[in-house]
Amino acid sequence: MKIKTLSLKRFRNFKEMEIEFGDGLTLVLGKNGVGKTNLLEAIHYLGTLRSFRRAKEKDMVSFGEEFFEVKGKTDGLEIKVLWMAGKKNIELDGKRIKKVEDAFGKLLTVAFTSHDLFLIDGPPQERRRFFDMLLSKIDISYLSDLIAYRKVLKQRNALLSREEIKEEEMNIWDEQLIPLGERIVQKRRELLKDFREKVKNFFEVLSGKKLEIIYNPTFDPDKGMRGELLARREAERIYHTTLTGPHRDNYIFLVDGKDAKKFSSLGERRALAFALRLSEAETIREKRDEYPVLLLDEVIGELDRTRVYNTLKLVLSYPQTFLATAREEVLSTEGVNVIRIDTEDGTPVIERSY
C-alpha cells in the first residue's frame, strides 16, 4: 500500500498544500518547527482518523480557522476527511461514509514517534491503545466490538453512578458487555502468540537484551467474564464504576526479567518502543497481505549511530517509508526521494527532489 498524493487545507501550519509522493524511502528534511511532523501526522490521520500526537482535532486546525481538510490518494482509493465544528465528514472516492470503522485502515500506516516512549513509561491505557489500534487495523470486527463495548460500558457506568440500582437493569447491560469483553480479550491473547516473538527478536537486534511480554486481563479468559463481574458487584457499587473487563487490562514488558518501566535505561526503552512499532508493521503485512506506509518522525535523533544504520536496514525493504529528521548529516540523500521544508513568512515552503 502506498500514498500517491496528499492535499491539505487549514491543517496545522499548512494553509493549503498539494504534493505527490514517490516509492521507496522519502526523507523529509528541515529545521525544527517547519512542519515535518505535521506532514507525517496528516498521512497518519488519513489511515486512522486520529493524531499520533494524541491531539484533539480542534487543535489540528490552522490558527484562526474553523476547519481542516485532509485528502489523499492511495493505489486505488481517494480518501477525504473534512473536520468542522466537532464533526467529521469522511468520503471514500467521493462517497460519504457514516461509520468510522468503514474508513479506518483504508490507508495502512505505522508511525514511529518520540511519543512511543509512553508505551513503556505511561499508564496501562497507553499499552491497551497500542494493541487495540493494531488489532483494529488487521481485524475490522475487533474495532466494531471495541466501539460497541465502550458504548455499553458507558451506559453500565452511568447506572452504577445512581443511588439506587435495580439488579434487572444491571443484568441487561451485563448480557451485552460479557460477550463483547470476552471476544476482545480472546483476540488480544491470540495476537500475542506471534507478536511476542517478533518483538523479542527485533528488541534483541536493537539492544542485545532479552524481552518478555506479559498480558494481564482482569478475568481468566478460560473461565469467562461473568463470574468475576458478579464477584465484584458490591465493590462496583461502592466505586461507581465497572471494575472487570478489557478496559482495565494491562501489558507488562520485562527486559532481562525486570519491569522495563521501572528498571530499563532510556536507550533500552527507546529500542523497545521501536521494536514494538516494527512488529506492528510486520504483523499488518502478514495479516493484511499488504505493506503499511512507515512514518518515522525524528526517531534517528534518539538512537546512537549504530542503531541508525540498523534502523534503515530494517525499514528499507518496505515499498514506502517517510523519515523526517533535522539531522541531515547522518544520512545520505543519494538515490532516495527528498522533501525539504523551509518557511517563508511563517508559511511552509516545500521542495521535492525525486
Side-chain angles (χ1 to χ4, degrees):
M1 182 171 287
K2 302 168 189 172
I3 182 168
K4 301 294 188 181
T5 66
L6 180 68
S7 171
L8 303 178
K9 293 181 180 178
R10 314 299 189 266
F11 183 87
R12 297 286 191 181
N13 64 333
F14 293 100
K15 294 291 185 180
E16 193 158 343
M17 182 272 287
E18 291 187 13
I19 189 169
E20 295 182 0
F21 300 125
D23 297 347
L25 176 63
T26 297
L27 300 180
V28 183
L29 305 176
K31 296 179 180 179
N32 292 329
V34 297
K36 302 186 302 297
T37 299
N38 297 342
L39 183 66
L40 269 56
E41 181 185 32
I43 297 172
H44 183 265
Y45 185 81
L46 278 177
T48 62
L49 306 175
R50 63 174 63 191
S51 166
F52 57 56
R53 292 159 153 170
R54 298 164 179 77
K56 296 180 179 179
E57 275 136 331
K58 66 177 183 177
D59 298 324
M60 295 155 66
V61 179
S62 297
F63 182 76
E65 303 292 345
E66 297 181 349
F67 75 95
F68 70 74
E69 180 184 284
V70 181
K71 182 170 67 175
K73 290 183 180 179
T74 68
D75 299 313
L77 183 69
E78 181 180 86
I79 307 168
K80 184 171 81 170
V81 185
L82 171 67
W83 184 92
M84 183 167 58
K87 295 182 179 180
K88 292 188 187 82
N89 183 353
I90 306 169
E91 294 182 8
L92 300 180
D93 282 339
K95 182 179 180 180
R96 187 169 182 179
I97 301 299
K98 294 183 179 180
K99 294 182 178 180
V100 169
E101 54 262 48
D102 291 336
F104 185 92
K106 293 299 183 182
L107 172 64
L108 292 169
T109 64
V110 175
F112 303 68
T113 78
S114 59
H115 298 284
D116 289 341
L117 273 178
F118 286 112
L119 298 176
I120 296 93
D121 297 343
Q125 57 260 38
E126 294 292 337
R127 292 176 283 284
R128 289 195 300 268
R129 182 185 291 115
F130 170 80
F131 286 102
D132 284 343
M133 287 288 286
L134 172 54
L135 277 161
S136 297
K137 290 175 183 178
I138 63 176
D139 182 359
I140 198 64
S141 67
Y142 181 88
L143 177 59
S144 297
D145 280 347
L146 193 63
I147 291 172
Y149 179 86
R150 288 171 176 169
K151 289 179 179 178
V152 175
L153 181 66
K154 184 177 181 181
Q155 294 296 327
R156 191 177 188 277
N157 285 340
L159 178 60
L160 284 167
S161 67
R162 296 181 191 173
E163 290 296 325
E164 294 185 10
I165 303 172
K166 295 181 179 180
E167 193 66 20
E168 56 267 28
E169 288 186 78
M170 187 65 72
N171 290 337
I172 290 173
W173 294 118
D174 285 356
E175 292 307 311
Q176 296 182 56
L177 194 73
I178 289 169
L180 291 167
E182 289 178 347
R183 285 202 297 271
I184 289 169
V185 168
Q186 186 58 37
K187 288 183 178 180
R188 287 178 178 177
R189 288 179 81 193
E190 290 173 0
L191 173 71
L192 276 180
K193 291 177 183 177
D194 294 327
F195 187 84
R196 182 182 281 116
E197 292 305 311
K198 288 182 176 63
V199 184
K200 289 169 67 173
N201 292 336
F202 281 130
F203 183 68
E204 189 167 2
V205 168
L206 291 166
S207 71
K209 299 293 182 72
K210 301 294 184 182
L211 175 72
E212 185 56 59
I213 302 176
I214 298 174
Y215 172 45
N216 284 334
T218 55
F219 63 88
D220 185 342
D222 295 324
K223 294 181 179 180
M225 184 175 172
R226 187 181 301 275
E228 192 67 26
L229 202 63
L230 292 173
R232 297 192 180 188
R233 183 79 96 215
E234 289 305 313
E236 289 182 334
R237 292 175 185 271
I238 294 171
Y239 291 105
H240 305 293
T241 193
T242 303
L243 298 175
T244 300
H247 64 290
R248 298 182 72 89
D249 292 352
N250 193 15
Y251 296 84
I252 299 172
F253 303 121
L254 301 179
V255 174
D256 285 347
K258 298 180 180 179
D259 189 343
K261 183 176 180 178
K262 297 178 181 178
F263 300 104
S264 290
S265 68
L266 180 58
E268 290 168 349
R269 299 199 306 277
R270 284 173 172 164
L272 174 52
F274 197 81
L276 285 166
R277 290 302 183 188
L278 285 172
S279 301
E280 177 187 357
E282 283 292 279
T283 300
I284 291 171
R285 181 184 64 80
E286 291 176 2
K287 300 296 185 181
R288 289 284 299 266
D289 196 27
E290 290 187 271
Y291 284 90
V293 177
L294 302 187
L295 308 170
L296 289 77
D297 184 35
E298 296 289 0
V299 292
I300 62 171
E302 299 177 344
L303 300 171
D304 62 33
R305 189 171 291 271
T306 300
R307 287 180 181 151
V308 168
Y309 297 131
N310 286 338
T311 295
L312 292 180
K313 288 178 183 178
L314 290 168
V315 303
L316 281 177
S317 62
Y318 277 66
Q320 192 174 47
T321 299
F322 294 83
L323 197 160
T325 181
R327 294 178 62 195
E328 185 173 347
E329 74 280 0
V330 303
L331 294 165
S332 171
T333 59
E334 184 178 352
V336 301
N337 309 314
V338 177
I339 297 174
R340 296 182 186 276
I341 305 179
D342 204 343
T343 56
E344 186 176 286
D345 298 327
T347 302
V349 178
I350 293 180
E351 297 180 10
R352 290 189 305 140
S353 176
Y354 285 2

